[in-house]
Amino acid sequence: MADPLPLNTPGAPGPRHRDAIEQIKQALGDKGWSQDPSVLAPLLVDTRDYYHGKAAILARPETTEQVAEVLKICHEAGIPVTPQGGNTSRVGSATPDESGAQVLLSLARMNRVLEIDPVDYTMTVEAGCVLQDVQNKAAAADRLFPLSLGAEGSCMIGGNIASNAGGINVLRYGNTRDLVLGLEVVTADGQIWNGLRRLRKDNTGYDLKHLFIGSEGTLGVITKAVLKLFPLPKEKATALCALRDLDACLELLTRARAASGDALSSFELLAGITLNFAYRHIDTAKRALGEEYDWQVLLEFSGLEAGDMMNQAMETLLEQAFEDGLVIDAVIAQSEQQRADIWFLREAIVEAQLKEGASIKHDVSVPVSRVPEFIRRSNAALEEMIEGVRPYPFGHVGDGNIHYNVSPPVGASDAEFVAWKERINETVHRITADLEGSISAEHGVGQLKRDELPLYKSALELEMMRKVKQALDPIGLMNPGKVLKDG
Ligand code: MLT
Ligand code: ZN
C-alpha cells in the first residue's frame, strides 16, 4: 500500500500512477473506461456549474468485481477516487478536484434491477439504476418505491443512497435512509461487503449500512441495494391552495394529516414570487389559481383504495379550511392532466429562478412548527441587509425543509449580488441554527457546505465523524475533500 498522491497538485501523477491507470484499463476492458475529453467533459462539472474538476480516467465498471478491482488498484497506488452516479449533486459531491490525478468512477453501467419480491416488499437494484426506472419497475409489480424528486429522470439510486436524498414524499415515507434495507459496498481497499439483507429486523450490533448512507462516497462505493417497497396508491387527490398567511400552513398541515387518515404524502410550500417567476419564465407553466397570492401550498393525499375517498376528504378539508378563513382560494385536480400541471409548477419554480438571473440557494430544515418563524426572521434580516432583495422560499414544509433561496433586487447586477453570498449564507444558517435546525436538510454537504460544517457541529461530533472516516478509509482515497475538510 502506498501513500496517497499529494492532492490538488497538477502534474503529480508519475510512473506509478500511469501503471495503475493502465491496470485499470485492462481490468475494465475497452467499454469500461474513457479518456476522451468530450466524454469526460460533462461529468467534470456539477449541475450548477460551480465546481469544475479533472480526472485521469473515467472508469465505467459493469460489475461489483470490477469496482473492487479498480479500488484495489487505486489503493495500491494511492490514487483518489470520486464515485459518480447521475451527477445531479447540488453540493459538488460528485465532481473530482482539479489535480487531474483522480479516477472518476461512474456506476452508470451497473443499471439492472435484479429482483422484485412482492411478498417481502423489496427490490434489489444495482447502484446505477436511474431513479425513475426503479419507480416504474416497482409500479409494474403493483408496488411503490416512494423516493421522488426533480432529478428523478437522471439521478441514480446509488447517488440517492450515498446522499440520503429527500424529495416530495418524505413526510409519509421517510428519507432514502428509511427506504434501504441492505447494501453491497466496495470498501476503500477493494473488498466487497455483502450486506444485501432484506430483513425488517436485524439487531446484530452496529448497523453499518447507515454509515454508507449519506456518506457521499467518502467511505466506500455503494454497488447494490435492497430497497423497501410499499403498496401502490390507487387514488390520489392533489390540490393547490392559497393561504390566509404563512402561519396558516401549520394549521392546514395538522388538519390535512387528520382529514386523510395520515395519507398525506406531500405538503409543499410555494411563496407567491416562485409561481410568478414560473409563469413569467416557463412557457408551459399553466396558471392554476386565478389570482396571485403570497403563500400557496401544494398538497397530495395518496390512498390505498380505488374510489374517491381521498378526493372527498380533500374537498371536506378545504371547504372547512375556507370557512375558517385558513385557505382563501384552492383548486383540486380533476384529471391526471391537471394533477401533472400542478406538479409541473412545483418543478418549474427551480428552473424559473435560474432564468431570472443570479440566485443564492439554501436547503435548510427546522422543526416544522418553526418554519414560519424561520422564514419571517430570514426575510427581515436579509431585507435589512440588502434593500429590495427578493427571498424565494419554497419546499417541503411538511418535513420542515425549506429551500430558502434568494434572488437579487430588481436591477442589481448578478456580480453585485453574488458578492453578498457569504453574508447571506451566514445569516440564513445562523437563524437556522438558532431555531435548532440543520444547514443541509436533503442535499448533503459535499464541497459546498464542507467548510461551514465546523460552525454548526460540535467538536465531538466532528471528531467522531473523522474517526469513522479514518477507520474505513485510512489513507483518505474515497472522494477526498467532500463532507470533511481534512477527509
Ligand atoms: C427541490 O425541492 O425542488 C430541490 O431540492 C431544489 C433544488 O434542486 O435546488
Ligand atoms: Zn428539495
Side-chain angles (χ1 to χ4, degrees), residues 90 150 168 268 346 350 361 394-396 403 405 442-443:
R90 290 305 210 194
I168 55 171
E268 299 281 314
R346 167 64 183 84
V350 179
K361 291 157 81 89
F394 64 91
H396 323 288
H403 297 301
N405 292 3
E442 61 169 6
H443 292 171

Side-chain angles (χ1 to χ4, degrees), residues 165-183:
I168 55 171
N169 289 329
V170 172
L171 178 61
R172 174 124 176 240
Y173 299 100
N175 289 294
T176 305
R177 183 179 299 288
D178 304 299
L179 305 175
V180 176
L181 290 174
L183 286 183

Side-chain angles (χ1 to χ4, degrees), residues 223-372:
T223 44
K224 293 189 187 113
V226 181
L227 306 174
K228 228 187 236 182
L229 301 179
F230 295 81
L232 190 65
K234 296 294 187 312
E235 189 211 347
K236 283 191 177 182
T238 310
L240 183 69
C241 50
L243 304 176
R244 174 195 67 206
D245 56 22
L246 182 53
D247 288 297
C249 75
L250 295 182
E251 174 69 21
L252 186 65
L253 174 62
T254 306
R255 290 188 185 193
R257 292 187 76 155
S260 62
D262 221 6
L264 178 67
S265 46
S266 299
F267 195 85
E268 299 281 314
L269 182 72
L270 306 165
I273 183 176
T274 66
L275 286 180
N276 291 346
F277 278 25
Y279 297 138
R280 188 182 320 155
H281 293 296
I282 311 284
D283 290 346
T284 42
K286 294 191 193 133
R287 193 170 278 280
L289 295 173
E291 291 179 42
E292 289 181 10
Y293 298 100
D294 286 346
W295 297 105
Q296 281 131 122
V297 159
L298 190 175
L299 67 162
E300 188 162 272
F301 296 163
S302 301
L304 298 182
E305 285 172 40
D308 69 345
M309 240 165 66
M310 290 293 111
N311 272 287
Q312 276 179 23
M314 185 69 87
E315 270 174 35
T316 310
L317 167 76
L318 294 181
E319 272 165 22
Q320 191 63 53
F322 195 78
E323 267 174 39
D324 298 342
L326 216 55
V327 161
I328 51 177
D329 197 358
V331 57
I332 301 177
Q334 299 300 321
S335 64
E336 284 308 316
Q337 186 56 51
Q338 259 185 24
R339 190 188 331 283
D341 290 345
I342 291 176
W343 273 112
F344 181 77
L345 288 174
R346 167 64 183 84
E347 273 152 40
I349 62 178
V350 179
E351 200 191 329
Q353 193 190 17
L354 297 180
K355 296 213 164 164
E356 177 80 7
S359 62
I360 294 174
K361 291 157 81 89
H362 301 102
D363 165 39
V364 303
S365 59
V366 294
V368 178
S369 58
R370 308 193 83 172
V371 167

Side-chain angles (χ1 to χ4, degrees), residues 95-165:
T95 314
D97 68 15
E98 291 176 346
S99 67
Q102 300 196 352
V103 169
L104 181 62
L105 180 72
S106 165
L107 279 299
R109 285 174 79 212
M110 294 184 59
N111 59 1
R112 289 171 306 158
V113 170
L114 301 173
E115 191 188 13
I116 297 183
D117 191 319
V119 177
D120 285 340
Y121 277 77
T122 57
M123 183 171 185
T124 307
V125 297
E126 290 185 326
C129 287
V130 170
L131 174 56
Q132 206 162 55
D133 294 340
V134 174
Q135 297 164 343
N136 291 342
K137 293 255 166 55
D142 197 29
R143 295 292 178 264
L144 173 75
F145 181 61
L147 182 65
S148 178
L149 41 93
E152 63 197 21
S154 57
C155 64
M156 292 174 193
I157 192 70
N160 298 141
I161 297 170
S163 59
N164 185 28

